[in-house]
Amino acid sequence: MSVFQPVEQAELPQAVQEFLKDPAGGRIPLVVTGRPDLTASTELARHLYDGTLLPDPVDHAVLLDEPADLPDGLVDLVRPLARNWLSPADLDRFGHETHGTLLVVGTYPRLRLDPLRALLHRSYRAPDVGLSFLSGRDWRSLLWNVAKQYARTDGTLTRSGLFTDTDRPAPVAGVHTYDDRDFERTDIQAAILDHRWRSVVFQGHGKDDSINLGEFTICGLNPTAPRDLGALGPRCAYGLPCYKPEDKLVPLNQVRAAEVVLSACNSGPLSDLALYDPRYQLLLNALDGPARTVVSAVSVHDSDRPENIAWMRGTGTGADSVDVLNASLAGSHPYPAFMRFGLPSVRSADLPAPQPFDHRPDDLVLTAGTRLTALLTGELLPPQDPLRPRLEKLARKVDQWVARPTSLASQSEREIRASLTADLQSLDHVIAQQVAAAPETELMNYPAYFGDRSRLDEHVDEVVCHCGRPAQRFTRRGLLPHILDTVCVVCLRCGDVVFRVPGAPELQAYAADEVAAGEVLDVRAHLTAARPGPVRLGLFVPSYLRDDTVVEPAVTKIKGSDREAREVSFRVHVAPGTAPQAYYFTVFAVQDLAITTARRHFGVVPRQNRPNPLPKGQP
């Protein structure tokens, strides 16, 4: 037996009073006279609801219609849904002086931009304001939606589904997903209409009258609703065929779902924002159907994979769809996206509120993206450079990680960082090996390449050179987006000593001023990493000294710290026949695609002369 009791309008007041005496044991009265669509919906509702109950009331409610414009009994039925009733004038204070959950009740013509715009904006992102609506195209539809709030969902109703024309999300346990691949091989109309749904999401492009699912279409047309000849309508309103195959239309009011989520732009506009005649609107057709809760978008929004994933994960925990979707979109635009028609879910009230999704990728992702852009744009690396294919592959990954539809949706922040770190370490290893083998590589020309396309920052620091003399540290600011800033340390005695980009490891190199031919120059490099993690270090000498020296190790890896300097030792074995004169060595460090170089002069003296100790004042 249906939990709903159709009555005549004159019988409604008495039927409401009798029901409210025993809300858990009676049948919910409603008026369907003259509305065959509502009669059909009550039959569909048999498959969704198996009892009645008095729902948990919200804190506050407001009725937008004049009570005299509504039939006797309707206001009595809606009154228990809130603890405190406000007047429409009180809406200006809600969110300022009054807080809590708020239910706005009114027929669709009353849902206008004024006074709801300010209320929608105040409630968005406000943790102490929860906003819900009850509405319908006329008072009969409004009564039907009020009545559904007293219906108890069948305990066997557990099926959830996502139908999306814009995404191919990874499956989530307990949720049936259909995407564009399924639309080509599955009868989507049957997949929707032949099942009972606890909650179902329709996501795709469309207008306020339809949502596209491939060749299938979620349709808002209610043929029994009167036509407003003064309002704009879609093609079918003018006797033209539908823009999609008519045998693949899915009438929204025939979907057997306790909750329907219309995840398309403008799927539920306010009445004075609607594009089409109410006869064709998705929101109103959904409210005329058996769904107790309808979630729709008041305007445009950027809903995509993050929202799909958030909803699929949240639906299994009982989280409220509107709260989950709006929290996920909170980092994308400052205005409210989704509205809830129906009372907040009981289970959701006991759950922590979803945290707004702040689309701010991990700093390491952004740093890597900036450096990849600098390396791949312009002519620093020639087109055939062997590094380019691997850099381009990582750049594509980073682009996906920072794109909102994929970032933090199918991968967690930890998974993204782990994947990026592995790629960076592998590339750092390759770069370090290439530099050690051929220091004249184009990549090592980055200070000149970036510097030629930069301007000098006026701020200059006084520092100490590796030789112990005063030096200046300054920054050249890139003039184009793909030109990195470069930090330079210059000594009037040693010349350009250090080159690095901001956020790269800091490096200093210490050694004796002289080494005898045939002996060993001990080098100590002091490294402070940009972040905790592996750093590759190496040492090379100029090309004209390479045949007379052996460097140990040529490349090494250490676990760097960003809090204190780590010391790394190198040994430069100088051949006995090396010509006495001044030379230099360069220590380099590679971390996260950034190279820091530190150059130090030394002299080779004849074998009978012993190397001098470190200059006074050096560690």
Side-chain angles (χ1 to χ4, degrees), residues 378-398:
E379 299 181 357
L380 173 61
L381 296 182
Q384 302 305 318
D385 190 286
L387 274 177
R388 273 192 174 273
R390 294 195 59 180
L391 294 173
E392 289 169 352
K393 182 178 179 181
L394 180 56
R396 287 192 293 270
K397 283 187 179 182
V398 170

Side-chain angles (χ1 to χ4, degrees), residues 523-562:
V523 178
R524 299 194 310 278
H526 287 191
L527 171 90
T528 303
R531 65 176 180 88
V535 183
R536 268 75 178 180
L537 292 98
L539 185 149
F540 61 85
V541 295
S543 57
Y544 53 82
L545 185 58
R546 258 174 242 158
D547 291 340
D548 292 326
T549 55
V550 174
V551 176
E552 292 181 340
V555 176
T556 187
K557 181 178 77 170
I558 70 165
K559 186 176 182 179
S561 169
D562 59 346

Side-chain angles (χ1 to χ4, degrees), residues 59 90 106 158 214 247 391 399 485:
D59 297 324
D90 294 327
T158 58
D247 61 339
L391 294 173
D399 179 74
D485 296 346

Side-chain angles (χ1 to χ4, degrees), residues 451-473:
D452 288 345
R453 295 157 177 82
S454 302
R455 64 173 179 81
L456 180 64
D457 191 297
E458 296 179 356
H459 182 75
V460 178
D461 292 322
E462 295 293 330
V463 295
V464 177
C465 176
H466 304 160
C467 71
R469 298 178 176 88
Q472 290 182 308
R473 181 174 61 207

Side-chain angles (χ1 to χ4, degrees), residues 164-439:
T164 173
D165 192 29
T166 64
D167 187 22
R168 293 180 177 180
V172 172
V175 180
H176 299 267
T177 58
Y178 300 81
D179 58 39
D180 63 303
R181 295 165 295 187
D182 302 295
F183 301 158
E184 298 292 332
R185 57 184 182 233
T186 303
D187 184 351
I188 296 300
Q189 185 185 66
I192 295 171
L193 297 179
D194 290 354
H195 292 98
R196 302 184 309 147
W197 303 94
R198 180 175 62 83
S199 183
V200 62
V201 174
F202 300 119
Q203 187 205 25
H205 298 296
K207 290 182 267 208
D208 55 1
D209 72 314
S210 60
I211 296 176
N212 295 319
L213 299 177
E215 289 297 297
F216 297 87
T217 307
I218 304 298
C219 178
L221 171 63
N222 185 332
T224 67
R227 172 84 165 93
D228 183 352
L229 297 179
L232 181 66
R235 292 167 52 96
C236 60
Y238 306 100
L240 298 173
C242 183
Y243 72 105
K244 300 289 283 293
E246 295 191 10
D247 61 339
K248 294 184 177 181
L249 298 179
V250 180
L252 188 52
N253 60 354
Q254 295 180 23
V255 176
R256 294 182 296 169
E259 178 183 66
V260 169
V261 179
L262 304 174
S263 183
C265 294
N266 304 303
S267 59
L270 299 177
S271 62
D272 53 345
L273 300 180
L275 180 65
Y276 285 145
D277 181 340
R279 185 182 193 186
Y280 305 91
Q281 286 181 30
L282 283 166
L283 169 63
L284 297 182
N285 208 22
L287 294 176
D288 286 336
R292 184 176 57 200
T293 305
V294 176
V295 176
S296 63
V298 67
S299 184
V300 296
H301 57 84
D302 295 325
S303 183
D304 209 308
R305 180 166 298 174
E307 288 65 54
N308 290 339
I309 296 295
W311 180 84
M312 288 194 291
R313 291 173 178 169
T315 190
T317 66
D320 195 285
S321 295
V322 160
D323 295 339
V324 168
L325 294 172
N326 279 338
S328 183
L329 285 168
S332 298
H333 40 60
Y335 55 84
F338 288 98
M339 298 166 59
R340 173 178 47 239
F341 288 81
L343 294 178
S345 64
V346 176
R347 291 184 61 192
S348 180
D350 299 325
L351 298 173
Q355 295 301 307
F357 174 66
D358 188 359
H359 181 49
R360 186 177 303 169
D362 186 291
D363 288 344
L364 184 58
V365 174
L366 300 179
T367 297
T370 300
R371 291 173 182 170
L372 286 164
T373 300
L375 294 175
L376 292 171
T377 305
E379 299 181 357
L380 173 61
L381 296 182
Q384 302 305 318
D385 190 286
L387 274 177
R388 273 192 174 273
R390 294 195 59 180
L391 294 173
E392 289 169 352
K393 182 178 179 181
L394 180 56
R396 287 192 293 270
K397 283 187 179 182
V398 170
D399 179 74
Q400 291 301 306
W401 286 331
V402 301
R404 203 190 70 84
T406 51
S407 62
L408 298 182
S410 54
Q411 284 183 289
S412 68
E413 184 175 350
R414 178 179 296 180
E415 291 170 333
I416 290 174
R417 190 177 180 90
S419 177
L420 174 60
T421 299
D423 287 331
L424 290 174
Q425 290 183 21
S426 177
L427 278 165
D428 288 349
H429 172 76
V430 172
I431 291 172
Q433 294 292 334
Q434 287 185 1
V435 171

